Amino acid sequence: MSTAILTGQPVPGSTLEGDLRSLGFDVRTASGPAEAETLLAQVPSGERVAVVDAAFVGHVHALRLGLTDPRFPIAAIPGAVTAQAAGRQALTRAMARENSAVAGTGGKGASASPGVRDAAGLPDRITAALDADGTEVHRPELGSLVAAVPADPQARNEARQAVDAVDEEAVRLKSAVKSRDGFFTTFFISPYSRYIARWCARRGLTPNQVTTASLLTALIAAGCAATGTRGGFVAAGVLLIASFVLDCTDGQLARYSLQYSTLGAWLDATFDRAKEYAYYAGLALGAARGGDDVWALALGAMVLQTCRHVVDFSFNEANHDATGNTSPTAALSDRLDSVGWTVWARRMIVLPIGERWAMIAVLTAVATPRITFYALLIGCAFAAAYTTAGRVLRSLTRRAKRTDRAAQALADLAASGPLAEAAAAELRGPARGLPGFTAAAVALLGAAAVLAAAALTGIGLAWTVLAAAVYAGTSGLAVARPLKGALDWLVPPFLRAAEYGTVLALAATADADGALPAAYGLVAAVAYHHYDTVYRIRGNAGAPPHWLVRAIGGHEGRTLVVAVLAALLTASQFTVALTVLAVAVAVLVLAESIRFWVAAHRGGSPAVHDEGETA
């Protein structure tokens, strides 16, 4: 239960008390600042509390945005301030200080009404005190919504007229949609999905329930694709679009009703990947029923898409808190964003999830799985080249100073195992004297060496084992010093490409039934682990525990193990080994991931809502 403490002169006819109760607050009235402080102390420390000026005039949604958003410990709008458990101590100190200051001046300038002397304006004074203390206070963007504390009857009448002049529900619906979205989503999904979100909110459905419905719909779509029939492919395409509509709806529902949660952010992010990659597998199974083996294409699509995401994550983590973060390339990008048609062209060219899923759905229905994967690979390869080239140019032309947090995030994304860590410890001294581009260069060279060996020699030979050993050494050199160089954000993507690509190449050359599906399962399990690392970092929870990274061998350890298995085993034995390895990795990473996120949710971790990939 949340508590709202009303302070100041009560206003006859005000609906404020009812508005606060409609938002889930237990309303208490303070006759003065001392009683407000007493009431604050009586509210259990684990509950949200708000201090609201009784003279407040504004929209209910303004109060909702200011007082109920679970993502921020302390938030404020004109006339109201709120704190969750994490911000209660700061709020209590600020109120006590303000009350002491008013008492010391004899209450001059405050309301002279008996019983409410000095209480008028208390929420705004508390907010000012929090700012003075350096406490971070979230102030939501209200736009056309009204939130005011009128000083006299005329101002109150004008504020009420301003409230009546705004269609509050239209504003709320509009704000449920992401401000920056893809072309397909903006013009073909959001115009009606926002109303589905409102329908869900009015029936008490939660974003997590809608997220789960989206996952189930996508899995059914994958099952339809796996039938290999034209009717199945058509149904799969339709259901994939339906799944995407629900995928947009869950986020819009969260924004519409402010139902953000730690668990919800994780489910939304991980289910997106599960849906897409399960659908790839369904297409591959359907093609196999028709006599066409496209597992290599399916695995290639998953590898390419995952590496694209790693590029996004690494670049953003390397630069989001960098100082001096400007460049001519960034300036040109900003100018292009000021021209209407270029904005949409640039959003579409990167093939975000909306455009990508629409393309997959249409091609599934009208073409073959092979053509679908060809189009997907070509489109994603072009998008990856475009975005990566632009980010490389930005990195080379800016003079950003990266922080220790950014360097640690990149090291966590690298996910080095025992072999790379041992190599890094030995090479830390020599690495200090190498040029700034060394980390990315050696990571690229090591990745190229192991990929070339796997693709050119295949299974049954020791060349890939030798290349994998070299790769472990170059990976250690790449992370031997803090990743603060201009291009060091490329290190994690190069490492991901090396590991995933090696598994793909060896499975493809094994020429055994089931080798590529087993490789698909292994890469999916490892990719999940890497996505989980990203979402923990984004939630300020740190990387997965070190024991887990070591237990699954790190990227270089897994690459070496797969290379050794390919050299020593027959094709059929190699397939079995890949399957066992995939199951072992999946069990470990899923068990730890589920344990962590459920515990974080139950433990009251700050709620987040990761917008993830642009829809």
Side-chain angles (χ1 to χ4, degrees):
M1 186 68 178
S2 301
T3 300
I5 301 171
L6 288 182
T7 66
Q9 177 69 48
V11 177
S14 172
T15 62
L16 179 59
E17 216 173 305
D19 293 340
L20 289 170
R21 287 199 173 94
S22 73
L23 296 176
F25 285 94
D26 176 27
V27 181
R28 303 178 187 179
T29 302
S31 60
E35 185 177 359
E37 191 171 350
T38 300
L39 290 175
L40 176 63
Q42 291 174 353
V43 177
S45 59
E47 294 183 5
R48 175 188 288 276
V49 64
V51 182
V52 185
D53 198 310
F56 176 90
V57 174
H59 290 99
V60 177
H61 193 51
L63 287 170
R64 181 182 289 107
L65 291 172
L67 303 183
T68 68
D69 195 323
R71 295 173 297 176
F72 308 102
I74 298 181
I77 57 174
V81 61
T82 184
Q84 297 192 80
R88 284 288 300 277
Q89 191 173 11
L91 181 68
T92 301
R93 283 199 308 265
M95 177 181 279
R97 196 174 73 182
E98 282 306 299
N99 287 345
S100 297
V102 170
T105 61
K108 293 179 180 179
S111 170
S113 300
V116 293
R117 187 180 179 122
D118 311 327
L122 180 60
D124 289 337
R125 296 202 308 273
I126 292 173
T127 303
L130 289 166
D131 289 333
D133 287 340
T135 303
E136 185 175 352
V137 179
H138 170 69
R139 290 175 171 84
E141 184 66 44
L142 297 180
S144 59
L145 296 175
V146 176
V149 181
D152 53 59
Q154 181 179 348
R156 171 171 292 277
N157 184 54
E158 292 173 351
R160 284 175 172 167
Q161 291 176 356
V163 170
D164 294 338
V166 175
D167 186 342
E168 180 178 5
E169 182 60 22
V171 173
R172 189 179 176 190
L173 275 172
K174 183 178 179 181
S175 65
V177 178
K178 280 195 282 190
S179 58
R180 180 181 175 86
D181 233 332
F183 179 86
F184 179 76
T185 307
T186 299
F187 294 104
F188 293 92
I189 303 296
S190 292
Y192 58 87
S193 62
R194 69 184 74 182
Y195 294 101
I196 300 175
R198 182 173 67 181
W199 183 89
C200 293
R202 290 177 175 177
R203 283 151 184 81
L205 298 177
T206 67
N208 290 354
Q209 290 171 331
V210 179
T211 301
T212 303
S214 176
L215 173 66
L216 294 175
T217 304
L219 294 178
I220 295 172
C224 291
T227 63
T229 64
R230 178 51 52 194
F233 287 147
V234 172
V238 172
L239 287 171
L240 187 63
I241 293 296
S243 174
F244 182 65
V245 171
L246 292 174
D247 183 53
C248 294
T249 300
D250 65 0
Q252 291 165 356
L253 173 58
R255 287 182 288 272
Y256 182 85
S257 55
L258 299 186
Q259 295 184 75
Y260 302 111
S261 71
T262 301
L263 185 63
W266 172 66
L267 290 176
D268 185 50
T270 54
F271 281 10
D272 277 353
R273 305 286 74 79
K275 288 181 287 190
E276 186 165 4
Y277 299 158
Y279 192 82
Y280 293 174
L283 278 178
L285 288 169
R289 286 180 177 273
D292 189 12
D293 187 355
V294 296
W295 274 106
L297 298 178
L299 181 50
M302 181 167 66
V303 169
L304 180 55
Q305 189 56 39
T306 303
C307 289
R308 279 187 64 197
H309 285 147
V310 176
V311 169
D312 294 341
F313 300 146
S314 295
F315 181 80
N316 291 335
E317 287 300 327
N319 292 286
H320 88 282
D321 59 354
T323 57
N325 203 11
T326 59
S327 74
T329 307
L332 174 61
S333 177
D334 292 340
R335 285 198 296 272
L336 289 174
D337 276 345
S338 66
V339 182
W341 69 270
T342 63
V343 174
W344 296 117
R346 295 175 71 218
R347 291 186 191 179
M348 292 174 68
I349 204 173
V350 299
L351 207 64
I353 188 171
E355 277 74 1
R356 192 167 69 249
W357 282 28
M359 180 186 72
I360 295 170
V362 170
L363 290 177
T364 298
V366 303
T368 65
R370 180 172 290 273
I371 292 175
T372 302
F373 282 123
Y374 281 154
L376 182 62
L377 286 166
I378 292 170
C380 288
F382 181 81
Y386 171 78
T387 54
T388 304
R391 287 167 176 171
V392 168
L393 285 174
R394 289 191 185 198
S395 300
L396 292 175
T397 56
R398 67 172 37 142
R399 294 182 178 178
K401 193 172 182 181
R402 293 180 173 85
T403 63
D404 291 338
R405 180 203 175 281
Q408 183 59 53
L410 291 179
D412 291 336
L413 289 173
S416 300
L419 297 178
E421 287 180 341
E426 292 296 325
L427 298 170
R428 191 158 290 128
R432 293 194 185 98
L434 295 175
F437 61 84
T438 301
V442 297
L444 175 60
L445 290 174
V450 71
L451 284 172
L456 296 176
T457 63
I459 69 170
L461 297 173
W463 290 108
T464 305
V465 177
L466 178 61
V470 171
Y471 168 70
T474 58
S475 299
L477 179 58
V479 298
R481 63 182 183 186
L483 297 173
K484 295 185 177 183
L487 296 178
D488 285 359
W489 57 271
L490 285 169
V491 171
F494 287 154
L495 301 181
R496 296 292 81 75
E499 180 183 0
Y500 301 161
T502 299
V503 175
L504 168 58
L506 291 174
T509 57
D511 194 25
D513 290 340
L516 281 166
Y520 193 94
L522 175 59
V523 172
V526 175
Y528 176 87
H529 167 64
H530 291 143
Y531 279 116
D532 189 50
T533 301
V534 168
Y535 302 137
R536 294 194 195 206
I537 293 173
R538 282 185 167 181
N540 294 317
H546 195 57
W547 69 261
L548 177 64
V549 179
R550 295 179 69 89
I552 60 176
H555 63 91
E556 80 291 349
R558 290 186 298 271
T559 302
L560 183 58
V561 166
V562 171
V564 170
L565 293 174
L568 298 179
L569 303 178
T570 65
S572 59
Q573 291 171 335
F574 180 59
T575 299
V576 174
L578 284 180
T579 303
V580 172
L581 187 58
V583 171
V585 171
V587 168
L588 279 173
V589 300
L590 281 172
E592 163 55 23
S593 177
I594 293 171
R595 181 209 63 78
F596 169 80
W597 288 105
V598 172
H601 178 70
R602 290 177 175 171
S605 295
V608 296
H609 183 74
D610 179 60
E611 297 291 355
E613 183 184 0
T614 302

